[in-house]
Amino acid sequence: MTTARRTLRRSPRRRDRRGRGLRGLMYPPTIPASRTRAEKFDAMVLEALEPIEQRWGSELADLDLAVDEVPEVGETSPEDVVWGQGVLADVGVPLAQLVPAGVDPEGLPSRARIVIYRRPLEARARDGADLADLLHEVLVEQVAEYLNIEPDAVDGGEG
């Protein structure tokens, strides 16, 4: 025999248990508070690149910029990990990498790119201003390596 009580138990639970309405977004998507940490980081990267791009725009036309969460590591032992050329590391942890132009695994030509690693940079910054400064320094170092010039020249010296 089926009672009303058993039928209620079998029905799917509703998320509006206390009559407060359906749960939704806390902030409308149009305001900055609704952006994720990754989206905020991407915006900071573009902001840090802007003064460099204004000065060196024509030389950087064939350079791409990418952001990854963490670097890809094949070895787990710190003694076995060896970072190749183009990696900017701090205490053995890569912060960014310059990948030269070449041929990808499918045999197609690839453009040169700078890969910024979000988590290691966020871990080293105390606050937003510190992260912006660190991003600028990392980008200056990587662009200088790409252009084969001194970092001081990228950041405002003579090029």
Side-chain angles (χ1 to χ4, degrees):
M1 178 172 180
T2 304
T3 64
R5 187 175 204 153
R6 282 189 187 164
T7 305
L8 287 176
R9 281 191 202 156
R10 290 184 193 161
S11 67
R13 289 187 169 177
R14 299 178 64 194
R15 298 304 289 166
D16 186 17
R17 294 186 205 135
R18 309 268 190 281
R20 296 185 190 125
L22 296 175
R23 295 181 183 176
L25 298 173
M26 289 184 71
Y27 302 106
T30 56
I31 63 172
S34 68
R35 294 190 312 186
T36 64
R37 281 178 37 195
E39 290 171 339
K40 291 175 187 175
F41 185 84
D42 291 347
M44 289 181 80
V45 169
L46 292 176
E47 189 177 310
L49 182 65
E50 190 175 339
I52 298 168
E53 200 170 41
Q54 285 177 355
R55 181 174 167 91
W56 298 94
S58 60
E59 289 87 350
L60 302 179
D62 295 328
L63 180 68
D64 291 335
L65 183 65
V67 175
D68 278 349
E69 289 288 312
V70 293
E72 190 173 310
V73 179
E75 297 289 331
T76 56
S77 172
E79 295 83 28
D80 296 336
V81 175
V82 177
W83 302 111
Q85 189 171 355
V87 174
L88 178 63
D90 176 38
V91 192
V93 177
L95 304 178
Q97 179 178 8
L98 174 64
V99 180
V103 179
D104 67 4
E106 288 82 34
L108 300 172
S110 65
R111 293 169 38 122
R113 72 182 173 277
I114 295 174
V115 181
I116 304 290
Y117 299 116
R118 179 173 73 90
R119 296 291 201 131
L121 286 165
E122 286 179 336
R124 281 156 180 73
R126 290 184 297 265
D127 55 17
D130 193 32
L131 181 58
D133 290 343
L134 185 57
L135 274 171
H136 180 74
E137 289 176 24
V138 167
L139 284 170
V140 165
E141 290 283 333
Q142 293 297 297
V143 168
E145 186 169 341
Y146 173 72
L147 297 174
N148 200 20
I149 58 176
E150 290 295 318
D152 292 338
V154 172
D155 202 20
E158 293 301 316

